[in-house]
Amino acid sequence: MKTKKLLRKIRALLSADQRAQVAKYKSLEKILKKLELKESALREKLDGETDEEKRGEILRKLEVIAAQAQKGGKLRQELGALRDAE
């Protein structure tokens, strides 16, 4: 193959990777927004709940959501750094 054709193929591969990263970043943004809304709804539910058993269950759900959001935030930072580096 000629050099120009090889360079075109490399550029196409690199841009495909970049498009995939952008799509993953956007998807992650949507998921984190949904987690934020869910956390907010659970906090409101927690404020109105008087049963200790149900309060404990809601708190456990909030802990899981917080952990997921933290992992998602780290991944978002990594993807953002990769996007900025290119």
Side-chain angles (χ1 to χ4, degrees):
M1 277 186 210
K2 292 187 179 185
T3 307
K4 287 184 180 182
K5 191 171 185 179
L6 288 172
L7 287 174
R8 266 190 262 130
K9 285 189 174 196
I10 289 174
R11 283 190 196 114
L13 285 173
L14 291 176
S15 66
D17 288 342
Q18 187 178 15
R19 283 192 303 269
Q21 286 177 355
V22 168
K24 191 173 184 178
Y25 186 85
K26 288 181 181 180
S27 174
L28 189 58
E29 285 289 320
K30 289 178 185 178
I31 292 170
L32 288 173
K33 183 66 175 174
K34 286 181 182 180
L35 280 174
E36 185 179 317
L37 292 174
K38 192 169 186 176
E39 181 182 14
S40 173
L42 282 174
R43 288 200 184 279
E44 287 180 18
K45 190 174 180 180
L46 182 66
D47 289 340
E49 190 61 56
T50 57
D51 183 22
E52 287 301 316
E53 186 175 319
K54 288 182 182 179
R55 286 181 63 84
E57 184 179 326
I58 293 170
L59 285 172
R60 283 191 294 278
K61 287 180 182 180
L62 283 170
E63 288 175 1
V64 170
I65 288 174
Q68 290 173 339
Q70 186 178 18
K71 287 180 185 179
K74 286 181 183 178
L75 181 59
R76 180 177 54 187
Q77 285 179 337
E78 291 173 10
L79 287 174
L82 287 175
R83 283 180 6 164
D84 293 340
E86 292 177 357

